[in-house]
Amino acid sequence: MLGYQANAQWRDMSDFVVHFTKPGPPYHDAYQNMMSILGARTLIPGAEGFGIARREAAVANLHRSVCFSEIPLDQLARLVQRRSLYGIAFRKSFILSQGGGPVWYVQYGSPAHLAMKHQLDQALAAKEPQKEPVWAVTPFVDIQGDAHNAPYSYRFDWEREWRVPGLLRFTEYDVAALFLPEEVHTVARDFFAWAVRERAGPGYFCPVLDPGWKAGQIMEALAKHTQAPVATERKSVQG
């Protein structure tokens, strides 16, 4: 349900994170890209890394990550404008179990930034930089500042980002919800039913939500899913 850690009134928090797909290769369509991810049961990071050391050539590959947002499920409008209407939601507990976690937004020039920079310089000067333990932290650290703090003159802390370094492999049972425009909900459900029936791929029988829905609509959809056991639905699909 909406809220945080069984507290329905904590509406500024969420137990979920969402990864929104974007138009672009391989299918140039956010919907097809999402369906491809679900079919492969894998989220693959893009070529560009994230975090404070993403531009360091020696360790850039360690900063390629899959990104999510912990914005509450009924407040995703601004994020949807930057991404798309198509998203995959997971419980935070699953992301944590896969080595993921929230991003730490550090102010440019602050003591924390300078301390982290010192650690980076030491690690990069080591005999085998890639083996330094600091790189387990740096994908989760973003430096942000104001217009005069180039190259960190941006603030994206409103995205409330989480990351998983590297690939994220999952099963259909790990997905907490799918986000799609309401007009294609039936199409998606029918496709997953066909995939299971024909043994053509996984079936996702989690709640299907529209990112434009209000809180009441989302809560109603989640409640209906809770009342209708998934096992029964899978059994009926498989005949």
Side-chain angles (χ1 to χ4, degrees):
M1 300 299 290
L2 298 183
Y4 184 63
Q5 295 187 352
N7 294 284
Q9 302 306 313
W10 291 12
R11 296 297 303 284
D12 59 325
M13 299 291 290
S14 176
D15 288 321
F16 305 95
V17 293
V18 185
H19 173 88
F20 279 96
T21 61
K22 296 175 69 175
Y27 296 106
H28 304 283
D29 176 270
Y31 172 73
Q32 292 297 332
N33 282 340
M34 184 181 80
M35 299 304 281
S36 175
I37 290 166
L38 294 173
R41 299 182 179 96
T42 306
L43 274 162
I44 301 173
E48 180 181 352
F50 295 92
I52 186 174
R54 67 188 184 277
R55 295 189 179 94
E56 301 294 343
V59 293
N61 62 308
L62 302 178
H63 292 77
R64 296 178 61 216
S65 305
V66 178
C67 301
F68 306 84
S69 171
E70 66 169 334
I71 294 174
L73 302 185
D74 59 326
Q75 300 176 36
L76 294 168
R78 182 161 54 166
L79 191 62
V80 164
Q81 290 176 359
R82 290 185 59 86
R83 300 292 191 274
S84 74
L85 295 167
Y86 303 94
I88 306 169
F90 298 89
R91 288 194 170 274
K92 286 179 176 177
S93 55
F94 172 71
I95 299 300
L96 290 169
S97 75
Q98 302 303 302
V103 170
W104 178 23
Y105 299 98
V106 177
Q107 177 64 30
Y108 177 83
S110 67
H113 176 205
L114 298 178
M116 181 62 70
K117 187 176 184 303
H118 177 69
Q119 292 293 317
L120 264 59
D121 291 342
Q122 285 190 322
L124 290 168
K127 185 176 180 180
E128 297 183 273
Q130 289 214 359
K131 294 184 178 180
E132 292 296 301
V134 71
W135 312 126
V137 177
T138 51
F140 299 99
V141 179
D142 272 6
I143 306 302
Q144 59 178 14
D146 299 313
H148 59 284
N149 297 139
Y152 302 108
S153 55
Y154 64 91
R155 292 188 179 276
F156 283 120
D157 50 344
W158 63 268
E159 290 193 6
R160 298 169 64 169
E161 192 171 350
W162 281 48
R163 291 178 187 147
V164 175
L167 294 173
L168 176 65
R169 300 190 186 279
F170 58 88
T171 73
E172 52 269 45
Y173 311 110
D174 297 318
V175 175
L178 297 177
F179 280 95
L180 302 153
E182 186 173 4
E183 59 267 25
V184 297
H185 284 189
T186 299
V187 173
R189 288 193 181 99
D190 288 347
F191 172 79
F192 293 132
W194 170 86
V196 171
R197 186 170 58 249
E198 299 299 322
R199 303 183 186 277
Y204 291 82
F205 301 107
C206 54
V208 181
L209 312 173
D210 187 310
W213 279 353
K214 302 297 184 184
Q217 293 171 289
I218 292 176
M219 288 191 290
E220 182 181 357
L222 295 176
K224 284 182 178 179
H225 182 77
T226 301
Q227 295 163 6
V230 176
T232 300
E233 185 173 356
R234 289 198 184 95
K235 184 177 180 180
S236 64
V237 168
Q238 293 171 335

